[in-house]
Amino acid sequence: MIGATEKPPRLVVLEHPDNERALEAIKDAISKKRTLIVAGRCRVNYEGRASSKLEEGERIVLIKPDGSAQVHRTRDHAPVNWQPPGSLFRTRLNEGELILRAFRRKENEVLEVIFKEILLIVSLDLIDTATFYLYASEEDMQKAILLRPSLLEEGFKPITSERPVEPGFIDILGRDKFGVLTVVEIKRNPATKEAVLQLNRYIQAFVKDERSKVRGILVAPGLAKGAQEALAALGLEVKLLSPQVCAETLSRRKKTGQLLDFIDDGEKV
Amino acid sequence: MIGATEKPPRLVVLEHPDNERALEAIKDAISKKRTLIVAGRCRVNYEGRASSKLEEGERIVLIKPDGSAQVHRTRDHAPVNWQPPGSLFRTRLNEGELILRAFRRKENEVLEVIFKEILLIVSLDLIDTATFYLYASEEDMQKAILLRPSLLEEGFKPITSERPVEPGFIDILGRDKFGVLTVVEIKRNPATKEAVLQLNRYIQAFVKDERSKVRGILVAPGLAKGAQEALAALGLEVKLLSPQVCAETLSRRKKTGQLLDFIDDGEKV
DNA sequence: TAATAAATGTCGTTT
DNA sequence: AAACGACGTTTATTA
């Protein structure tokens, strides 16, 4: 029995509970915004942007305090069915089955898990306040070029980053060593034809304002199919640069300060 | 103790195990390709296409028989770190910590979870052979009709899709076999009276511009209460079409090319 | 195996 | 609230 007045333990485990105990534990965990794991034999229905049906089988359901839900099968990284954060939950017994519904009113989406048999219920009060750090993202590549413009090319001088233009934002705008305006678009993956077109749109929008000559440089670790042709056709350029090198540049800065761009005159790719 | 000779139980649960028991249970579960859940206080490192760092906190790790791994925090549908199916695992104790590594050799990617404290281990032998069925979204229905206009009716020729009009967007605009302008509104669920009114609004807004005769066709798998009457009252039409049939049309296209509309002259609903 | 397109993409940001 | 772009996108399909 999970007391209403007592503080519940950080970890509650029920093996092979009957439906009544399971219902109580699930309602308790969700209402107290605990993390909930339910393993059991169930079928799953989803109705919303699409609809899906999954017949009976044993799966794991994970419900988080933020109101997200996911149903995992024995394979695949991604859940077979899910509901994003902010979902509402309704649990009830019906003719010997335990029915768990996660729904989002606005989006008109419903996820329904109908348990024939509950193998396990785990209710956890997880404490996790740590920050997640991701390195070598596209953002890091941008930071690295701004910190050390020679990563792009000798003599490049950034003017602004994230400059708004008609269709979006120019990653980096600057001038090359001859003073020519240069639009830089950064990709952390091999650049696709779409990326080239994106860069071109930015330049087009920009040229309207400036109507002077503008260079366009695509920064990426490589080129996907069709990108080379698109670049040539549009008269744009590419600078091969890996996210890893950018991440290294940033981490080295932390140790040696911001002098690198003045000291280092070599190119590393 | 989990015997090597005996068949292990379908469900093994260890609450607050010491490191040795935890190590044994984890190795056993992974080697026997069981589904494994580990909850505990840990830090997480990832090194591969990018790199990431997550300091100490309580999380849930889910490892599946297919060699996929994911680390879940208390929020978000998506795992904070993961490793796709086919990963290899190495578990060991080191200075009072339990270290779980999931790596992919070819991709040179490593996920490392370092447990300071194990709250719970669950090792499951899940049985799940069911097939997952996903039925098409409304967007797929639109695509299917554009691909094979005869799904709507013989001789229909689409002009545009998502054409903006006063109240929103016309799903598909086209001409029937007599050249009469036709507005198509698609619903993936049984169409309600509201859907009929929506179609009517689009037509009204459209007639202002064109002031020629315009047909309105509601595409839906069925009609909800009151929809039939509304259609009749407004002089609009309905074409019954299920998302499933659209999905089939789209998947068949991939196999047989885009010739279907020329070959197929029958209607399937 | 590599390239391409779709996804109930998810998730953040900005208008 | 809606739109846009990035993502360690993932995933399936096809050449």
Side-chain angles (χ1 to χ4, degrees), chain A residues 42-249:
Chain A
C42 60
R43 56 190 200 277
V44 187
N45 298 310
Y46 156 75
E47 192 72 42
R49 286 163 286 178
S51 65
S52 73
K53 209 176 274 288
L54 179 60
E55 289 304 324
E56 202 171 297
E58 294 174 343
R59 288 120 202 174
I60 293 169
V61 176
L62 172 61
I63 293 175
K64 298 187 183 185
D66 67 348
S68 64
Q70 43 195 300
V71 181
H72 283 276
R73 306 188 70 177
T74 56
R75 57 181 296 274
D76 286 338
H77 151 72
V80 62
N81 280 112
W82 72 93
Q83 199 64 288
S87 302
L88 301 173
F89 298 90
R90 189 71 67 85
T91 322
R92 66 188 168 89
L93 299 181
N94 182 266
E95 298 181 6
E97 297 179 323
L98 190 152
I99 302 176
L100 171 59
R101 299 180 106 225
F103 59 97
R104 299 195 294 160
R105 190 130 230 160
K106 258 187 321 203
E107 293 81 0
N108 204 34
E109 288 201 292
V110 188
L111 172 65
E112 185 181 48
V113 185
I114 303 157
F115 286 99
K116 272 252 174 54
E117 181 193 1
I118 307 258
L119 301 172
L120 173 76
I121 290 183
V122 177
S123 167
L124 291 147
D125 187 14
L126 295 179
I127 295 172
D128 182 6
T129 59
T131 315
F132 177 68
Y133 297 97
L134 178 66
Y135 307 102
S137 60
E138 182 178 310
E139 189 185 350
D140 280 347
M141 295 181 73
Q142 181 176 333
K143 279 186 203 158
I145 293 172
L146 290 172
L147 175 73
R148 189 178 357 153
S150 64
L151 280 169
L152 183 70
E153 68 177 27
E154 264 329 297
F156 178 69
K157 297 264 182 263
I159 300 169
T160 63
S161 61
E162 299 300 324
R163 180 199 166 104
V165 288
E166 176 46 40
F169 293 83
I170 292 175
D171 285 340
I172 297 176
L173 178 67
R175 290 189 187 275
D176 69 13
K177 62 179 166 185
F178 300 112
V180 177
L181 270 171
T182 303
V183 175
V184 181
E185 175 66 26
I186 303 170
K187 296 290 169 194
R188 79 170 305 287
N189 286 318
T192 61
K193 191 166 56 179
E194 281 69 33
V196 178
L197 296 175
Q198 186 182 353
L199 171 58
N200 193 54
R201 281 199 303 274
Y202 290 163
I203 291 172
Q204 293 307 318
F206 196 73
V207 162
K208 278 187 211 152
D209 302 336
E210 296 285 335
R211 90 169 155 302
S212 54
K213 187 189 164 215
V214 177
R215 286 178 70 195
I217 304 181
L218 189 60
V219 173
L223 291 180
K225 192 144 195 183
Q228 184 63 265
E229 292 80 346
L231 283 169
L234 295 166
L236 304 177
E237 304 162 58
V238 63
K239 167 67 185 178
L240 296 181
L241 183 61
S242 74
Q244 286 81 355
V245 167
C246 293
E248 280 170 28
T249 301

Side-chain angles (χ1 to χ4, degrees), chain A residues 10-11 13 15-16 35 37 39 46-60 62 64-66 68-70 72-85 119-120 122 124-137 188 243-244, chain B residues 10-11 13 15-16 35 37 39 46 48-60 62 64-66 68-70 72-85 119-120 122 124-138 188-189 244:
Chain A
R10 300 266 322 280
L11 171 63
V13 179
E15 296 184 46
H16 303 291
T35 301
I37 300 168
Y46 156 75
E47 192 72 42
R49 286 163 286 178
S51 65
S52 73
K53 209 176 274 288
L54 179 60
E55 289 304 324
E56 202 171 297
E58 294 174 343
R59 288 120 202 174
I60 293 169
L62 172 61
K64 298 187 183 185
D66 67 348
S68 64
Q70 43 195 300
H72 283 276
R73 306 188 70 177
T74 56
R75 57 181 296 274
D76 286 338
H77 151 72
V80 62
N81 280 112
W82 72 93
Q83 199 64 288
L119 301 172
L120 173 76
V122 177
L124 291 147
D125 187 14
L126 295 179
I127 295 172
D128 182 6
T129 59
T131 315
F132 177 68
Y133 297 97
L134 178 66
Y135 307 102
S137 60
R188 79 170 305 287
Q244 286 81 355
Chain B
R10 299 266 322 281
L11 170 63
V13 179
E15 295 184 45
H16 303 292
T35 301
I37 299 169
Y46 157 75
R49 284 165 289 178
S51 64
S52 73
K53 210 176 275 287
L54 180 59
E55 289 304 324
E56 202 171 299
E58 294 174 342
R59 287 125 202 170
I60 293 169
L62 173 60
K64 298 187 182 184
D66 67 347
S68 65
Q70 43 196 301
H72 281 277
R73 305 188 72 177
T74 56
R75 55 181 299 273
D76 286 338
H77 150 70
V80 62
N81 281 111
W82 71 93
Q83 200 66 287
L119 300 172
L120 173 76
V122 177
L124 290 147
D125 187 14
L126 295 179
I127 296 171
D128 182 6
T129 59
T131 314
F132 178 68
Y133 297 97
L134 178 66
Y135 306 107
S137 60
E138 183 179 308
R188 70 174 313 287
N189 288 314
Q244 287 85 345

